[in-house]
Amino acid sequence: MFFLKTIFGKSKEEMADFLANHRRYSTMGTRSAAESYSNCCKIHSLGLRGAQLAKAQEVVQLENLQDLINRPIRRFTEETFGAYTVGFNGRMGGHMVLYSGEYYDPGYKSYCTGCGQRNYQAVPAGESAPCGVCTTPRTNYKVPPRFHRVHSNGIDHGMSRDDFLDLSQSQLKTKFDLVRRFDEVCDQVRNEFITLLDDFIVVEEQVMVPTMVKRLARI
Ligand SMILES: [Zn+2]
């Protein structure tokens, strides 16, 4: 474990120390006052070895990097029923930050099977309705899509050790467990990133001259 540190006791004092001393970062722009729990994920702070570090410099430039490493975050968001998630904030996304959030229904009723375009109107039973983009007939959602949004207000912002100690044992334990789980998710994301470094090479290819794009290819 890299971010998740071993803690032997779980007294109120130890839990309060852990929460009060945890690294924190802004939930919005760097000048915003709201802060939440965070871990630094700049590549020089990830404990990478020589060859991994060189490759990491390349991999962090990939446009689809977050898609490749965010499975642990999706799992965390699901297990908290959308109440929490982890986002990347700071210049170059160098900080993983714990956010509160929620699932919501964006109101889409149907979608295009051809191009994936969503539509707010349901297709009436027995009728056919073309997609506005590509004219393929639309299909109604059996289960409406669920989107997730994050809240930019901080978590436990400005709370001191004494404030944590004023909480009940169970309130404190709930916070403690949440932030421990956050550290674990950060470890899992770091593992995904390292797996990426070990299993893939970055190839540059020319797509429709003259645009150079980077993508990942399995070795
Ligand atoms: Zn379409």
Side-chain angles (χ1 to χ4, degrees):
M1 289 297 145
F2 188 78
F3 295 116
L4 186 66
K5 306 283 191 293
T6 306
I7 294 181
F8 296 101
K10 284 185 193 160
S11 68
K12 276 194 88 170
E13 286 72 20
E14 280 157 324
M15 291 194 287
D17 281 340
F18 169 76
L19 291 169
N21 295 331
H22 199 285
R23 188 187 270 270
R24 303 183 63 86
Y25 198 79
S26 155
T27 50
M28 292 189 283
T30 40
R31 265 180 250 160
S32 124
E35 285 186 355
S36 178
Y37 300 95
S38 74
N39 279 310
C40 180
C41 59
K42 294 180 180 146
I43 51 176
H44 289 283
S45 311
L46 290 176
L48 303 176
R49 287 170 281 115
Q52 285 179 327
L53 198 56
K55 207 163 173 184
Q57 315 264 20
E58 289 239 52
V59 168
V60 290
Q61 296 174 37
L62 295 171
E63 280 182 21
N64 61 339
L65 177 61
Q66 288 201 13
D67 297 337
L68 295 167
I69 60 172
N70 76 359
R71 197 170 35 184
I73 297 176
R74 285 202 305 271
R75 215 161 38 217
F76 175 59
T77 309
E78 278 167 27
E79 84 193 19
T80 61
F81 304 100
Y84 295 98
T85 190
V86 177
F88 293 85
N89 199 11
R91 207 169 63 86
M92 311 287 283
H95 301 266
M96 284 183 275
V97 182
L98 177 66
Y99 285 89
S100 61
E102 64 187 327
Y103 287 124
Y104 67 99
D105 175 3
Y108 293 116
K109 303 293 184 229
S110 64
Y111 65 100
C112 170
T113 52
C115 72
Q117 175 81 10
R118 299 184 178 93
N119 197 293
Y120 290 112
Q121 305 299 323
V123 181
E127 291 181 30
S128 175
C131 166
V133 177
C134 73
T135 72
T136 305
R138 294 183 344 244
T139 304
N140 287 334
Y141 282 106
K142 289 192 180 65
V143 180
R146 186 180 60 166
F147 284 13
H148 187 262
R149 67 178 149 230
V150 298
H151 302 152
S152 54
N153 47 322
I155 297 177
D156 298 348
H157 179 74
M159 282 185 73
S160 67
R161 183 177 187 273
D162 285 345
D163 294 331
F164 286 116
L165 284 172
D166 284 343
L167 300 174
S168 72
Q169 175 85 22
S170 70
Q171 283 173 325
L172 189 56
K173 179 76 165 53
T174 302
K175 287 186 183 299
F176 176 79
D177 288 343
L178 171 66
V179 179
R180 296 282 289 165
R181 177 72 184 112
F182 164 68
D183 284 344
E184 186 180 42
V185 172
C186 292
D187 272 333
Q188 291 165 347
V189 172
R190 175 178 173 272
N191 290 343
E192 296 272 331
F193 183 68
I194 290 173
T195 303
L196 212 59
L197 299 180
D198 294 339
D199 292 355
F200 294 87
I201 54 165
V202 178
V203 294
E204 285 188 3
E205 63 177 14
Q206 244 169 342
V207 180
M208 300 292 290
V209 223
T211 318
M212 291 290 281
V213 299
K214 292 187 175 186
R215 66 176 181 84
L216 280 180
R218 205 170 277 279
I219 294 170

